[in-house]
Amino acid sequence: MVSERYNKAKEKTMEDLQKAEFVSLTADMWSSINMDGYLGVTCHYITPEAKMATVVLGVRRFYQTHTAQHLMEAKALLMAEWGITSKVQCMVTDNASNMVLSTNLLHLRHVPCFAHALNLIVKKALDQTPVLNEIRQKARKIVGLFRSSCKAKDKLVEMQGLMGRPTLKLMQEVETRWNSTFDMLQRLYDQREPVAAALSNLNNDTAPLTSLEYNIIQQSLSLLQPFKLATTEMSEEKRVSASKLIPLYRMLQHKLAQKKGNATQESTVQLGSHLQEGLQARCGGYESFRALALATLTLLDPRFKNVAFGNAAKAQDAEKNMILECASLMRSNTNPEPEMSTSDPSTSSPSPSPSPSTSTPVETQDSLWELFDTRIHQTQMIHNATADATVEVKKYINDAYLPRTHDPLTYWKERAVIFPHLYVMAKKYLCIPATSVPCERIFSKAGEIICKKRSRLSPSTAEKLIFLNKNI
């Protein structure tokens, strides 16, 4: 039954992908409970109804070593199997060298995962702040006590009831996820009174956090809150996300400077400085990254256009690139005149001219002036296409901005006739996801399927189950 349902679902998914003009991929590696390697790939595209769509292409057992060459070959086979090789515009992965190089070997544009970038920025900033590191160690010990001792847990529940607080468990930090650090400190701060009361009634040597430490936690959480919101927003699959990267980077800069200015603790100011440095180092080049400049275009997204660019020169460069690509698209959609003339028998005679005496035999023109005439014709086509593209782009730039909470794909669908070539470009670039989180979600589900009780599932059956779970 699983195989039959899988074949039907795959056939329908392939039909949907055939209708898509452009697609973008995310890819990542995962190790199962048996330490078996799996390659996961998801596909993102815009439907004819102007909606974002996501499908799982595969979660394949990876038997080879994880070299860039082997990854490239596996991805190429998967793209060929689904018939999308010529449609893929970019691949979103983390910054692992083998993933980046495999994308380059496929001659695809690589987009670094924004969620991974934020994770690295915050983790490094936290590690560079000694006082906050000491607080995290104490917090982990406190949380560990209440999660490992039934007596401590019951006492916390009792104190929460007496104080009229909701019965909430403390959350432990996971080393690889910075947002787990945020969640641990946030929960601990919210439950500080019940936690302190419970600790005072327990016979143990776990030291409670001081009021000064809670103050540092409060200010640190304020600094980290924008990063938490950005990670959540940019991990969406059903909405346009990559076009937000440039404006979101600017908003993070602004919020960070604002909150750092309000900080009173030295350690919090230090944390803010490290966050600013990391943000600039990892995200400062976004405006120069052509794919994202076009995706936002902050231009191709009618909510932002060129307003979100911090550098006016970069905004102008993005607009020029947009005009050039639009002009190229126009030229590719126009049939050259020589091809049209050769298909019409009536054009075998010399072209009409103002004076019969100036007419020249076609054979002489072809043999002597062919190169010159071809260059004139091509130059004229380039000039006309560039002029038309400039008009279309300028008209779009001057059009009213779309409210930030509205769907840019609806805007483009409604204006497909007004901006036909920009609509094609929008479908090409706005399908790019900002993160590789879709692959992470697949692996979360894969971990539930390939578990201790089902550890002997064959790789093909496991893939079918994951495919059906995510694609139906």
Side-chain angles (χ1 to χ4, degrees):
M1 290 173 64
V2 168
S3 295
E4 183 181 350
R5 191 66 185 273
Y6 169 78
N7 291 332
K8 289 182 179 179
K10 185 174 181 179
E11 184 179 345
K12 181 182 182 303
T13 304
M14 292 187 78
E15 290 176 1
D16 293 339
L17 283 177
Q18 293 305 312
K19 299 174 185 176
E21 297 180 56
F22 310 99
V23 302
S24 295
L25 305 179
T26 72
D28 205 352
M29 294 296 297
W30 173 71
S31 297
S32 71
I33 191 171
N34 298 323
M35 294 309 295
D36 295 328
Y38 283 82
L39 171 66
V41 179
T42 66
C43 180
H44 308 262
Y45 61 96
I46 296 172
T47 67
E49 294 76 31
K51 299 291 183 183
M52 282 289 291
T54 300
V55 295
V56 174
L57 296 187
V59 182
R60 299 285 170 86
R61 176 76 170 85
F62 204 81
Y63 294 97
Q64 303 100 320
T65 54
H66 299 179
T67 63
Q69 182 67 29
H70 289 153
L71 287 169
M72 181 273 289
E73 292 169 357
K75 293 174 184 177
L77 285 173
L78 198 60
M79 290 189 292
E81 177 185 328
W82 286 89
I84 58 171
T85 303
S86 62
K87 297 182 178 183
V88 180
Q89 298 304 305
C90 78
M91 186 169 290
V92 183
T93 73
D94 57 25
N95 286 322
S97 58
N98 57 345
M99 279 292 183
V100 176
L101 181 55
S102 68
T103 304
N104 294 336
L105 290 173
L106 287 167
H107 304 291
L108 295 175
R109 181 183 293 113
H110 178 261
V111 176
C113 172
F114 188 59
H116 279 85
L118 291 184
N119 187 61
L120 293 173
I121 290 168
V122 179
K123 274 179 58 61
K124 185 176 180 180
L126 290 171
D127 292 339
Q128 290 176 325
T129 311
V131 174
L132 196 54
N133 270 332
E134 294 176 8
I135 294 174
R136 287 167 60 198
Q137 290 177 6
K138 289 182 67 174
R140 284 196 295 267
K141 190 173 181 180
I142 293 171
V143 173
L145 171 67
F146 286 103
R147 292 182 67 89
S148 61
S149 168
C150 293
K151 182 180 178 181
K153 189 199 79 168
D154 292 341
K155 182 59 69 174
L156 178 60
V157 172
E158 179 186 346
M159 292 298 105
Q160 288 172 334
L162 290 174
M163 295 181 180
R165 300 294 181 84
T167 304
L168 298 172
K169 294 181 180 180
L170 299 184
M171 305 174 73
Q172 188 57 281
E173 180 184 53
V174 179
E175 187 62 31
T176 57
R177 305 288 183 185
W178 84 265
N179 51 320
S180 67
T181 304
F182 180 92
D183 293 336
M184 177 186 74
L185 296 177
Q186 182 71 66
R187 181 62 57 84
L188 199 57
Y189 181 80
D190 292 342
Q191 299 293 322
R192 58 191 182 279
E193 290 91 352
V195 167
L199 284 174
S200 65
N201 283 278
L202 296 171
N203 295 322
N204 63 79
D205 59 352
T206 303
L209 293 169
T210 66
S211 58
L212 176 61
E213 289 170 331
Y214 273 122
N215 188 26
I216 293 174
I217 288 176
Q218 181 188 24
Q219 294 188 20
S220 299
L221 289 172
S222 178
L223 279 172
L224 295 174
Q225 180 69 22
F227 289 85
K228 173 78 170 179
L229 295 174
T231 301
T232 303
E233 183 170 349
M234 298 302 276
S235 299
E236 293 182 323
E237 293 184 42
K238 298 298 183 182
R239 300 182 186 179
V240 173
S241 57
S243 61
K244 297 179 183 177
L245 285 177
I246 293 174
L248 195 59
Y249 163 63
R250 291 297 172 193
M251 294 303 101
L252 281 173
Q253 279 187 316
H254 169 71
K255 275 294 187 183
L256 201 52
Q258 186 182 62
K259 290 178 178 290
K260 180 186 170 185
N262 296 331
T264 57
Q265 297 294 335
E266 182 180 349
S267 57
T268 311
V269 174
Q270 187 180 9
L271 174 64
S273 298
H274 293 319
L275 288 171
Q276 286 177 321
E277 292 168 4
L279 191 64
Q280 175 61 35
R282 292 192 175 272
C283 304
Y286 276 168
E287 291 187 6
S288 302
F289 186 24
R290 187 169 180 266
L292 297 182
L294 285 169
T296 300
L297 207 48
T298 310
L299 291 171
L300 267 180
D301 194 320
R303 298 171 296 180
F304 309 124
K305 298 184 184 178
N306 50 11
V307 170
F309 285 86
N311 188 323
K314 297 297 183 183
Q316 291 177 357
D317 290 342
E319 187 173 329
K320 290 177 183 177
N321 289 331
M322 187 180 191
I323 292 173
L324 290 175
E325 183 160 351
C326 185
S328 176
L329 188 61
M330 288 179 175
R331 289 195 296 273
S332 65
N333 292 338
T334 303
N335 292 323
E337 289 180 10
E339 293 181 5
M340 295 174 61
S341 61
T342 55
S343 63
D344 186 354
S346 64
T347 58
S348 58
S349 59
S351 302
S353 59
S355 171
S357 61
T358 60
S359 63
T360 308
V362 175
E363 293 77 6
T364 304
Q365 289 179 352
D366 288 341
S367 60
L368 183 61
W369 292 97
E370 181 180 5
L371 176 62
F372 179 81
D373 291 341
T374 300
R375 287 184 176 179
I376 289 291
H377 176 70
Q378 291 176 345
T379 303
Q380 187 64 35
M381 283 184 63
I382 293 171
H383 174 76
N384 292 343
T386 303
D388 292 342
T390 303
V391 170
E392 186 169 334
V393 170
K394 291 295 184 183
K395 185 176 180 181
Y396 160 69
I397 294 293
N398 294 326
D399 195 19
Y401 284 86
L402 188 70
R404 188 181 57 81
T405 55
H406 288 207
D407 184 5
L409 297 180
T410 302
Y411 169 95
W412 282 114
K413 181 67 173 177
E414 293 171 350
R415 290 164 176 76
V417 177
I418 302 174
F419 308 117
H421 301 93
L422 292 182
Y423 178 50
V424 174
M425 292 173 60
K427 288 188 288 184
K428 177 180 178 180
Y429 288 101
L430 295 183
C431 68
I432 300 174
T435 71
S436 59
V437 169
C439 268
E440 301 282 352
R441 292 194 177 111
I442 295 174
F443 296 146
S444 296
K445 178 55 63 176
E448 296 175 7
I449 293 175
I450 309 173
C451 57
K452 287 183 179 180
K453 290 185 178 181
R454 308 184 74 185
S455 60
R456 297 192 66 183
L457 276 174
S458 68
S460 61
T461 302
E463 180 179 20
K464 291 173 183 177
L465 291 171
I466 297 167
F467 180 91
L468 290 172
N469 179 272
K470 303 301 289 187
N471 286 353
I472 291 184

